Structures are given as structure tokens and as C-alpha cells.
């Protein structure tokens, strides 16, 4: 573990001068069934990236078996159910190992084998993590689909990867609601011909329909034992597919491979969060999202840490649930998204203050840029000015954190993700694709592979090349803009694909949003372009205000003045809509594609909005528009 700023600087120099040597040193700490012959081979123009070539391993031996000798009785997974009075489960490393082996045998007994794709559509219960690891145990490629997604979204993902098996549950608890997962899965499977086995976990005990491919999870488990040899995997064999939304609407199945993903997620978990042996680490994400894969399951378990799984939502049964859980389990590390912080920040701080948060040592943020107000609220009310905040920038495509401070080791700077981690060679490019030196603002790009970069898009390598490697040849292009201060710290400014051309001027929507957010009444905003007869495009701003009862005429005027002042009159939005929410993905990202369609009045082209966190705001916006 990196323990000082000088060790960090040293690691950065080593990783840059000799990436192969640096990462092979890190990788040696793991259990390999046979060693790799070459550390790295890559060519961004194909594009092709391979790490630890020829190495053989199984990631579950590193996450489970490896810890059995040293800490069999340590809690691996601490499960906090949706219902605060429900049963907390503590699975030790030994118990988790046993259950993963049993479940892996259940999958094998039902025909699953290495290389098969298995779709997992489950609530946030321990069996979800167990299922993920069971797939990895037998070399089946897991494709987790978030349990809030619709039948259409689920079917599209199952079909894209030709999954042969579906793992689901009768239902799931989420706040005051239950979600009829089996029913949704049944509907999806009507249009999926590749699935020949559906294993159903009993969670809610609700009634379900039964089809000939269905089997009860608990009945199948009884038929198998808990001896399960781990499949020998090549370092470059796929470990999982995870879908992420693309600008066209068709989701991209990002493919991650075994060796590099394991090494990088373990290394970054250890160094960014600085977990000590008795710490209790809680990442509030869902396993249906990359943050859950890398920093609830694989990263923490590879390090032998205790990782919390939370089934519920921040607002149930009340808006203090996060803080209640922190106090209840003496959480030391709390990792959440700015969208959650902003939602909670709108409510009285007494909700936080009534809980004893003195166990907290480190706070984390992920998913979008964290604005100054949310950062300071988090620091003051949750961290009591006593917990470093790691603002971690990364993507589904990157597998692990690329830019972040190391908790308590490297300096933090509010609203800045700060410095790239060792081995991450970031650059800023101008519009011509030339590297900017020193302080500046531009397009973020990365000029050397790190071990957990996604290797392809499932079934569409051409799209992988086009999206990430074509705009700026020789670099990986993540699609985000950033600014860099004189010390090399990065602040991610937002997506660079959100550019609107108004009367011939290229306007990034992110800086306009930042200007709007300066208004004290504004909580959040999103700006999109829509067709305009004269200007070509005009701007529409959707704005959430602190108090819906405010005088909207004067706020609109003040917002236009603020934008004119900070960016210029050309950037003044034509239309400003005060809304109660913005359409967001489950991981808190604003769906600008939908806002663009709404602004253009193309209501019939919204696509599948059921994957949204809050599809109801779409109706609200339609009403306001008319
Ligand atoms: C981990 C995750 C990726 C996109 C990424 C950014 C945005 C994520 C931060 C951030 C500013 C951060 N994967 N993003 N983290 N922006 N600061 N700390 O979110 O594939 O779902 O999204 O999210 O735009 O490109 S993701």
C-alpha cells in the first residue's frame, strides 16, 4: 500500500518509465496458476490491448481461497436489508467461499460452462454477489443487468450477448415497493430464444408463473455439494460483459478480461481507499453498475476487506437511512454518488446530525462531477471536516479508478478528482488533437493502456474502435472534458460530446450548466440544443430549484444574466424550464439524449425510457412544454 506522498510520486515515476515492470511487480502479489510470459502488448490503432499474456488464474481463488488460510472467519460481505428491522447477514470468507462453490456447481449441473454468457437480473442480496463469483469460478461470462431495468432493456441485453442462462428472483424489495422481477424476466424471455435455463431465487415469496425452463434456486442448490474446482482462465479470457449507454441508444456491452481487471481493481481499491484490516467499507452503488462490480465485489474481496451490500434506497424508511446504516455498522469508508449527496443536502441537516458518524474515516464520490456546494456539505456534515474525500473519476470502460486522490496520502482539492493514479498517462488535447502543456482546459485522453481497460464491445469491435480510438488517433478517448491546474490536478468538466452549435458558435453545455448552477436558488441544471429556424440550434435549460414556489420569472432573468456574464450573450438559453427533476440513469447521470428529444418536441422518439430512475419527470416536462 502506498503510504506517503513520496511513495506515491515514486510509484508514478516507476509506472511511467517502465509500465511492464511496474505492473508485473503488482501482479506478483496474486495467485496465478501459471505465470505470464509477457506483461503487455498493445496497439491503439487496431485497437488491441493484452496484459499478463499467457498467465493463468481464476479471480475467485484470489478473492476467496487465498484468504481462507489467513482470515477464514473475517466478514467478507455484510448485508443490510431493505427493511431496517430485517435480518442483517454476515458472510465470513469461509462461508462465502462455500456458497460460491455450491452455486458454481449448481450452474455447472444446469449445463453452464466456460465461455457461456449468463445474464444476472437480481436484487441487491448476497446471492447476487455469490452468483457473480460463481460465474467467474466456472469461467462463464456474467452479464449483470440492473434490476430496475424493464423487460425490453433486459431482452435487448440478453439477446446481444446470446445468453444461455438467466439468474433472477421472484421479486425484489426496493423502498416501500416490491419489484416483480420474475414477471419482468418472463416478459423479456418471450423474445429471447437463446436462454434455456432460468434459475429463480426466492426473495419476496410473491407468486410467480412457472415455465418449463424455470427452476427454483434453493431446490437446485440442494442437489450439489460445495467442492468446486476453479476453472483455469487465461489472463485475456473474458470475465464479464457490462452494458453502458451509448450516444445512439443501443447499449454497448463492454468486455473485461480476467487478469488485468483483477490486478487493477485490487490495486486501486487498496491505494485509493486505504482500508485497514478492521475497517467496514460501504459502497452504496448497485452491483448492476461498474462501481458495484469493481468496488463492492472484486476490489474489496481481492483485498480481504469487509464489504457492505445494501438492498434498499437512501429515502426508505426515511431520508436518514444512509446515516442510520453508517452508525449501525460503524462504517469507516463511505463511497456514494454526487446525485445522492445533492438529494440529501436539500433536507434538514438534523437528519445527519442525529446519528453517530464518528466511525467514518474516508468518504468517496463517483459518477459525475461533484459541485462545490455538494462537496462542502459532504465534508462538513458527513465527514465533520475530519475525513478525506476521494473524488474518483473513471468509467465502465476503464474498469477501475483512473484519477483520484489517495485517502489521507495525497492532497485533495474540492471539486477536483486531482491526479491520475500510477500507470495512468493522462493528457489534455485541444480541438486539433495537440497536447496542451501545463495549466489549461481541453479534452481528456490517455496515451498508454492500464490493465483494466475494456478490450472490446461485445460483438462490435468496429464500434469500440470508432467510439474510443478514432477521434484522436494514438489515444484512448473517454469522452470527457477536463481542466488542469498548475499542480497537475484534474477537474472533470463533463461530457465533451454535449456540444451545441448556436448561430455557428460551438458551445459546450457543461460550462453553461456550471454558470446556471452558480445561482443560489439552483440545485441542478441540464442544457441541451434544439432546432431553431434562424440560429440552427437554440439552447434549452432545464433547471431544478431549491423551492418550486419561487418567482420563476425573476429567476429566469437572473439565470440569463449569469450566463451572459460568465460565458457570453450567445450562450443565453432561449428556453428555461423549471422542473422538479431531470431524467437520470440509475447511476445518476442526466440523460441528455432524452432532454434533446423533449426540447425538439420529438415525443415519439424518446426510446425506452423505462431504464430511467425517474421516468415520471418525462411526463412532467411534456406537460410544461405544451
Ligand atoms: C464509474 C462510472 C462514466 C462517466 C464518465 C464521466 C462521469 C464518473 C466522475 C465523473 C466527474 C467523477 N462509470 N464520471 N465519475 N465525472 N467526476 N468523479 O460512473 O460508465 O457509469 O460513467 O461518468 O462523465 O465518463 S460510468
Amino acid at each position: 500500500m502506498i503510504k506517503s506522498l513520496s511513495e506515491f510520486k515514486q510509484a508514478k515515476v516507476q509506472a511511467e518509465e517502465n509500465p511492464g515492470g511496474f505492473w508485473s511487480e503488482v501482479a506478483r502479489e496474486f495467485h496465478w496458476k501459471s505465470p505470464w510470459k509477457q506483461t503487455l502488448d498493445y496497439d491503439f490503432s487496431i485497437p488491441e490491448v493484452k496484459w499478463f499474456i499467457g498467465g493463468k488464474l481464476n479471480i475467485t481463488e484470489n478473492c476467496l481461497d487465498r484468504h481462507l488460510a489467513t482470515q477464514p472467519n473475517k466478514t467478507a460481505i455484510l448485508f443490510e436489508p431493505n427493511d431496517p428491522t430485517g435480518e442483517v447477514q454476515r458472510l465470513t470468507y469461509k462461508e462465502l467461499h462455500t456458497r460460491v462453490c455450491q452455486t458454481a456447481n449448481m450452474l455447472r449441473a444446469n449445463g453452464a460452462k466456460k465461455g457461456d454468457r449468463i445474464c444476472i437480473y437480481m436484487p441487491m442480496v448476497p446471492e447476487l454477489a455469490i452468483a457473480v463469483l460463481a460465474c467467474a469460478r466456472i469461467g462463464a461470462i456474467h452479464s449483470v443487468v440492473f434490476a430496475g431495468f424493464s423487460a425490453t432493456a433486459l431482452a435487448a441485453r440478453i439477446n446481444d450477448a446470446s445468453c444461455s442462462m438467466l439468474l433472477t428472483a421472484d421479486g425484489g424489495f426496493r423502498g416501500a415497493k416490491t419489484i416483480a422481477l420474475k414477471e419482468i424476466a418472463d416478459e423479456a424471455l418471450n423474445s429471447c430464444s437463446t436462454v434455456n435455463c432460468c434459475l429463480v431465487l426466492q426473495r419476496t415469496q410473491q407468486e410467480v408463473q412457472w415455465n418449463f425452463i424455470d427452476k427454483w434456486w434453493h431446490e437446485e442448490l440442494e442437489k450439489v455439494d460445495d467442492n468446486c474446482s476453479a476453472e483455469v482462465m487465461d489472463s485475456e479470457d473474458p470475465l464479464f460483459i457490462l452494458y453502458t449507454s451509448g450516444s445512439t441508444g443501443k447499449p454497448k456491452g463492454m468486455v473485461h478480461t480476467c487478469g488485468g481487471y483483477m490486478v487493477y481493481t485490487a490495486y486501486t481499491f487498496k491505494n485509493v481507499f486505504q482500508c485497514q484490516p478492521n475497517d467496514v467499507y460501504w459502497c452504496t452503488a448497485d452491483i448492476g453498475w461498474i462501481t458495484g462490480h469493481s468496488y463492492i465485489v472484486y476490489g474489496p474481496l481481492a483485498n480481504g476487506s469487509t464489504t457492505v451490500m445494501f438492498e434498499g434506497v437512501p429515502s426508505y424508511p426515511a431520508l436518514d437511512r444512509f446515516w442510520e446504516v453508517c452508525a449501525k455498522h460503524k462504517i469507516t469508508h463511505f463511497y456514494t454518488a454526487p446525485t445522492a449527496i445533492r438529494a440529501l443536502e436539500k433536507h434538514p441537516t438534523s437528519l445527519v446530525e442525529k446519528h453517530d458518524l464518528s466511525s467514518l474515516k474516508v468518504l468517496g464520490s463517483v459518477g459525475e462531477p461533484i459541485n462545490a456546494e455538494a462537496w462542502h456539505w459532504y465534508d462538513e456534515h458527513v465527514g465533520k471536516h475530519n475525513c478525506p474525500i476521494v473524488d474518483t473519476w473513471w468509467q465502465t470502460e476503464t474498469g477501475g479508478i483512473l484519477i483520484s486522490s489517495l485517502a489521507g496520502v495525497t492532497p485533495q482539492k474540492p471539486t477536483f478528482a486531482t491526479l491520475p493514479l500510477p500507470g495512468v498517462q493522462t493528457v489534455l488535447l485541444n480541438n486539433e488533437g495537440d497536447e496542451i502543456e501545463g495549466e489549461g482546459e481541453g479534452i481528456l485522453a490517455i496515451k498508454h493502456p492500464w490493465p483494466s481497460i475494456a478490450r472490446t464491445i461485445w460483438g462490435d469491435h468496429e464500434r469500440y474502435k470508432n467510439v474510443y480510438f478514432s477521434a484522436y488517433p494514438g489515444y484512448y478517448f473517454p469522452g470527457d472534458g477536463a481542466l488542469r491546474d498548475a499542480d497537475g490536478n484534474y477537474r472533470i468538466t463533463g461530457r465533451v460530446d454535449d456540444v451545441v452549435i448556436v448561430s455557428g458558435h460551438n458551445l459546450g453545455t457543461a460550462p453553461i450548466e456550471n454558470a446556471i448552477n452558480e445561482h443560489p436558488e439552483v440545485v441542478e441544471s441540464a442544457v441541451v440544443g434544439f432546432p431553431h429556424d434562424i440560429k440552427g440550434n437554440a439552447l434549452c435549460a432545464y433547471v431544478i430549484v431549491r423551492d418550486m414556489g419561487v418567482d420563476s420569472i425573476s429567476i429566469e432573468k437572473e439565470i440569463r444574466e449569469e450566463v451572459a456574464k460568465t460565458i457570453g450573450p450567445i450562450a443565453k438559453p432561449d428556453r428555461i424550464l423549471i422542473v422538479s427533476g431531470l431524467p437520470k440513469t440509475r447511476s445518476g447521470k442526466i440523460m441528455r439524449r432524452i432532454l434533446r428529444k423533449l426540447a425538439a418536441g420529438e415525443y415519439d422518439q424518446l426510446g425506452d425510457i423505462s431504464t430511467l430512475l425517474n421516468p415520471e419527470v418525462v411526463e412532467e416536462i411534456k406537460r410544461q412544454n405544451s
Side-chain angles (χ1 to χ4, degrees), residues 40-311:
L40 167 66
D41 189 20
Y42 81 102
D43 181 346
F44 274 176
S45 71
I46 300 179
E48 183 177 78
V49 179
K50 291 179 177 169
W51 282 91
F52 313 113
I53 299 163
K56 307 286 177 194
L57 76 157
N58 187 290
I59 195 169
T60 70
E61 289 187 329
N62 285 280
C63 290
L64 301 170
D65 306 55
R66 205 158 54 109
H67 306 308
L68 295 186
T70 50
Q71 47 171 39
N73 301 320
K74 176 167 175 177
T75 302
I77 294 180
L78 195 168
F79 172 69
E80 166 72 17
N82 180 60
D83 176 351
T85 63
E87 188 206 346
V88 171
Q89 294 179 45
R90 289 184 179 81
L91 298 183
T92 64
Y93 271 91
K94 190 161 184 302
E95 288 162 344
L96 182 60
H97 177 267
T98 302
R99 292 186 59 183
V100 168
C101 287
Q102 277 173 339
T103 306
N105 283 338
M106 167 178 84
L107 300 180
R108 273 187 180 146
N110 280 283
K113 55 183 195 313
K114 181 175 175 177
D116 289 356
R117 275 79 59 209
I118 298 185
C119 180
I120 305 181
Y121 183 65
M122 290 177 64
M124 274 288 283
V125 292
E127 286 83 355
L128 166 55
I130 291 169
V132 162
L133 293 163
C135 288
R137 187 83 177 172
I138 65 168
I141 302 169
H142 55 78
S143 167
V144 182
V145 175
F146 176 70
F149 279 6
S150 69
T152 321
L154 175 60
R157 287 159 178 76
I158 291 175
N159 287 330
D160 185 76
S162 315
C163 295
S164 55
M165 195 181 268
L166 175 65
L167 308 181
T168 189
D170 49 358
F173 297 115
R174 233 185 119 75
K177 290 189 288 203
T178 61
I179 304 172
L181 294 176
K182 174 68 165 70
E183 196 181 310
I184 302 167
D186 285 344
E187 194 190 327
L189 290 185
N190 278 333
S191 47
C192 301
S193 58
T194 53
V195 175
N196 51 45
C197 176
C198 177
L199 293 168
V200 186
L201 179 80
Q202 227 168 25
R203 174 65 187 152
T204 56
Q205 318 273 324
Q206 70 199 87
E207 226 179 280
V208 292
Q209 286 204 2
W210 214 243
N211 304 312
F212 72 98
I213 63 166
D214 297 339
K215 288 179 178 171
W216 282 114
W217 190 296
H218 57 277
E219 291 178 4
E220 292 306 296
L221 263 189
E222 278 178 15
K223 301 178 187 167
V224 295
D225 65 19
D226 56 13
N227 282 315
C228 179
S229 60
E231 193 72 38
V232 181
M233 303 298 286
D234 188 88
S235 177
E236 283 300 326
D237 279 336
L239 173 64
F240 66 86
I241 303 171
L242 186 64
Y243 287 86
T244 184
S245 45
S247 53
T248 62
K250 185 182 191 291
K252 299 174 288 199
M254 305 313 307
V255 177
H256 284 283
T257 58
C258 298
Y261 179 81
M262 172 183 76
V263 170
Y264 194 77
T265 53
Y267 177 81
T268 51
F269 175 79
K270 178 194 284 186
N271 289 300
V272 169
F273 293 102
Q274 300 274 317
C275 264
Q276 300 302 314
N278 293 319
D279 285 346
V280 182
Y281 162 91
W282 179 20
C283 165
T284 68
D286 192 285
I287 291 177
W289 181 33
I290 190 69
T291 306
H293 282 60
S294 303
Y295 300 112
I296 296 178
V297 182
Y298 290 113
L301 296 178
N303 281 283
S305 297
T306 297
T307 179
V308 172
M309 264 183 90
F310 174 47
E311 186 184 27

Side-chain angles (χ1 to χ4, degrees), residues 359-389:
S359 57
L360 286 174
K361 298 201 277 193
V362 174
L363 303 178
S365 172
V366 59
E368 8 151 26
I370 181 165
N371 51 305
E373 203 177 323
W375 195 99
H376 288 290
W377 187 90
Y378 200 25
D379 179 45
E380 178 179 345
H381 298 287
V382 183
K384 322 287 182 198
H385 298 301
N386 219 358
C387 300
I389 297 178

Side-chain angles (χ1 to χ4, degrees), residues 242-245 254 289-291 295 335 338 365-370 390-398 400-401 403 415-417 476 478-481 491-496 585 587 589:
L242 186 64
Y243 287 86
T244 184
S245 45
M254 305 313 307
W289 181 33
I290 190 69
T291 306
Y295 300 112
Y335 187 29
S365 172
V366 59
E368 8 151 26
I370 181 165
V390 290
D391 176 357
T392 63
W393 176 82
W394 58 298
Q395 307 177 295
T396 305
E397 296 85 337
T398 70
I401 298 166
I403 306 181
T415 77
F416 280 69
Y476 169 78
D480 284 331
R491 173 192 200 156
I492 311 302
T493 48
R495 303 290 305 171
V496 290
T585 65
S587 56
K589 294 185 213 333

